[in-house]
Amino acid sequence: MDSFLIRGGQRLKGTIEISGSKNSALPIVAACLMAEGKTTLKGVPRLSDIDSMTKLVGELGCHVYRHEAPAGSSEGPVLNGPLDITVTDESKCEARYDIVKTMRASICVLGPLLAKRGKAVVSIPGGCAIGDRPVDLHIRGLQKLGAEFRTDGGNIVGEVRGRLKGCRMYLGGAQGPTVLGTINVMCAAALAEGETVLVGAACEPEVVDCAEMLNKMGARIRGHGTPEIRIEGVEKLVGCEHRIIPDRIETGTFIIAAAITNGELELRHCNLDHLIAVTDRLDEVGVKIERQNGTIFVSSTRRLSQIEMTTQPYPGFPTDLQAQLMALLCLGDGISVITERIFPDRFLHVGELNRMGGRIRKEGPTAIIQGVKELQGASVMASDLRASAALVLAGLVAKGTTRIDRVYHIDRGYEKIEQKLAAVGANIERVKEK
Ligand code: EPZ
């Protein structure tokens, strides 16, 4: 297993290319199970989670081929060549525990398999470091379309008699809308009989990106990006070409990297419209963000102000940037308060940041952050994807050396992060864990 060694204190300066969105590519690759013919996806990042998803659809009868990166292409980051996905065998319908246990997003094959093959056996996703993550809303939505479910040996077994049937349904839960639940049900409804109206749908850009790809495949989806999505079911979907949206969480992470090091970064191939609540909060903290077309310029020159922030469903402040913001606020003036509304237990980074000299107290779903003059390098442990990103950010500004173990967590969602940071002046290296 790898670790990162970071010697803090370098101001970041230079340009970073933002990769395609992990959280958009994952459900989109799963949705390709419903298409006849070849689908070509551009901008799919190279991440261990993507490898897990392509392995899963491969086991479910897809031929998956990643092209070499086209040299000098002007179409955005040339890190990765297009990904071709072609369904060659529709007899398979099981998503094995070995893959599902490594990646919860495997649940995204449930809707497409039921809609296209009438059967799905998906291992029930287990526990998660960020808290309780049931899939009851996915099941309830698919049941309303006519699927029948039972559990068997740790698996969700779903079957459809004949074809799914469209209907009007409410999809919200205790914590609000569900992102992958909305996408799962929307995919299934695309091949159902008649119209489906999803009320209380998630509005995340990843939902919109999937809907737009499905519409290129011949689906009839409207209202995506709003809480009410209308889907007119069609007989079949055919392969298409689609470019994945930029990763808004990676963008937000690098914006905070510039802020925490009082640096100056130019971020290319990103979409700031997807981060309005984030730029709003960071503006209040004292981070300057300017944009020109698809490029943004980030700088912060003065001491950071205290703020209050509550995570919310899109377009609110994303829970996936909560830990990174907390690392920044460790160095703010006064007392900041963060409340986590989406995953109330998502605070495994608190103990590790306090090991680096942070002064953070947790009370239920709220963290109270007393700003300090500086952080100190220490040995810390990554626990989940975004918590480990926060530790990298803290390490960039901490006095001395920080060692972060178990960085496989970060490889799940950040493409070549240490190379991107080193290219703009960070003193970071990947080493083998002791
Ligand atoms: C997606 O997860 C993202 N994952 C998460 O990012 C992100 O944190 C989350 O949306 C919220 O924005 C991917 O896209 C792969 P939800 P998802 O269903 O869809 C509750 C990262 O760091 N809920 O919107 O699984 C749930 O417990 C990851 O990249 C139910 O109660 O999240 C949570 O409290 C981590 N029943 C809330 O809804 C359900 O059936 C929102 O979860 C489903 C969800």
Side-chain angles (χ1 to χ4, degrees):
M1 286 201 277
D2 294 355
S3 301
F4 282 157
L5 277 184
I6 308 174
R7 292 170 193 86
Q10 324 296 325
R11 288 187 71 229
L12 299 187
K13 202 165 177 359
T15 304
I16 292 182
E17 304 264 2
I18 298 298
S19 297
S21 163
K22 166 188 83 88
N23 288 349
S24 189
L26 289 173
I28 278 181
V29 169
C32 293
L33 287 164
M34 300 193 294
E36 290 168 22
K38 181 173 80 178
T39 299
T40 298
L41 300 175
K42 293 184 169 178
V44 178
R46 281 188 189 277
L47 300 166
S48 55
D49 271 9
I50 297 290
D51 296 342
S52 302
M53 186 59 89
T54 52
K55 185 171 173 214
L56 177 54
V57 296
E59 288 193 2
L60 290 165
C62 291
H63 179 261
V64 180
Y65 178 72
R66 168 85 79 166
H67 293 261
E68 278 315 306
S73 148
S74 61
E75 277 192 62
V78 294
L79 289 171
N80 308 307
L83 194 67
D84 284 349
I85 300 176
T86 313
V87 178
T88 54
D89 171 4
E90 291 198 334
S91 65
K92 313 248 173 54
C93 62
E94 180 164 357
R96 289 181 305 115
Y97 174 67
D98 291 350
I99 299 186
V100 176
K101 76 177 180 201
T102 65
M103 180 190 60
R104 301 182 58 79
S106 310
I107 194 77
C108 292
V109 301
L110 192 59
L113 285 174
L114 287 168
K116 189 73 171 89
R117 303 180 187 180
K119 179 157 189 186
V121 179
V122 177
S123 173
I124 301 170
C128 178
I130 69 175
D132 194 14
R133 298 185 70 183
V135 292
D136 58 318
L137 297 171
H138 299 237
I139 305 290
R140 212 159 71 211
L142 293 165
Q143 268 170 337
K144 291 203 171 125
L145 294 178
E148 290 165 14
F149 289 97
R150 59 190 165 81
T151 54
D152 178 12
N155 291 321
I156 300 165
V157 181
E159 277 169 298
V160 181
R161 294 171 207 273
R163 197 173 161 200
L164 294 172
K165 292 202 176 28
C167 67
R168 183 180 174 80
M169 68 173 83
Y170 177 69
L171 207 54
Q175 267 81 24
T178 163
V179 178
L180 294 182
T182 297
I183 294 175
N184 233 336
V185 178
M186 178 177 76
C187 285
L191 284 176
E193 202 175 309
E195 184 182 51
T196 299
V197 182
L198 296 184
V199 180
C203 305
E204 270 68 3
E206 295 77 25
V207 173
V208 174
D209 203 22
C210 187
E212 281 171 0
M213 183 199 68
L214 290 169
N215 281 346
K216 284 182 194 163
M217 288 178 163
R220 294 202 201 115
I221 303 174
R222 289 168 293 133
H224 38 295
T226 77
E228 186 159 316
I229 301 178
R230 284 177 180 276
I231 305 124
E232 186 60 46
V234 296
E235 293 289 332
K236 73 173 189 172
L237 298 169
V238 292
C240 69
E241 197 169 287
H242 183 73
R243 173 171 288 285
I244 303 290
I245 56 173
D247 195 311
R248 63 192 168 104
I249 305 301
E250 186 194 24
T251 307
T253 302
F254 285 129
I255 291 175
I256 295 174
I260 207 167
T261 61
N262 278 343
E264 283 171 36
L265 281 183
E266 181 182 330
L267 304 180
R268 290 208 182 129
H269 304 292
C270 47
N271 184 342
L272 211 51
D273 295 336
H274 293 165
L275 287 165
I276 192 147
V278 177
T279 52
D280 169 69
R281 296 284 80 198
L282 289 175
D283 178 53
E284 199 176 328
V285 169
V287 182
K288 225 163 92 230
I289 301 171
E290 288 151 313
R291 77 161 122 194
Q292 270 157 30
N293 309 326
T295 297
I296 58 175
F297 300 86
V298 188
S299 61
S300 75
T301 50
R302 61 183 184 81
R303 198 153 169 76
L304 305 167
S305 312
Q306 65 201 45
I307 58 162
E308 297 209 3
M309 184 282 282
T310 298
T311 62
Q312 292 167 317
Y314 189 85
F317 196 100
T319 170
D320 295 346
L321 282 171
Q322 178 255 99
Q324 298 92 318
L325 181 71
M326 189 183 290
L328 180 68
L329 295 175
C330 282
L331 295 158
D333 275 345
I335 294 182
S336 294
V337 177
I338 287 182
T339 302
E340 176 54 67
R341 278 268 172 274
I342 309 295
F343 296 109
D345 302 321
R346 191 178 200 171
F347 288 111
L348 283 179
H349 41 285
V350 169
E352 300 305 298
L353 288 171
N354 281 345
R355 282 178 48 71
M356 298 178 74
R359 289 185 59 191
I360 310 161
R361 202 175 73 245
K362 202 179 91 55
E363 284 182 18
T366 296
I368 294 119
I369 305 130
Q370 167 75 58
V372 295
K373 290 243 163 319
E374 64 177 23
L375 294 175
Q376 288 89 35
S379 291
V380 290
M381 185 80 76
S383 54
D384 64 83
L385 170 57
R386 309 304 173 182
S388 41
L391 299 179
V392 168
L393 297 179
L396 291 174
V397 69
K399 215 160 178 304
T401 302
T402 298
R403 181 193 184 92
I404 306 175
D405 288 338
R406 299 188 182 174
V407 294
Y408 61 82
H409 286 291
I410 212 167
D411 293 334
R412 297 186 55 178
Y414 291 91
E415 189 170 33
K416 299 188 173 77
I417 190 169
E418 79 276 19
Q419 292 171 26
K420 290 188 180 185
L421 287 170
V424 293
N427 188 331
I428 178 170
E429 61 174 315
R430 180 183 290 260
V431 294
K432 287 287 162 239
E433 203 167 299
K434 280 192 195 137

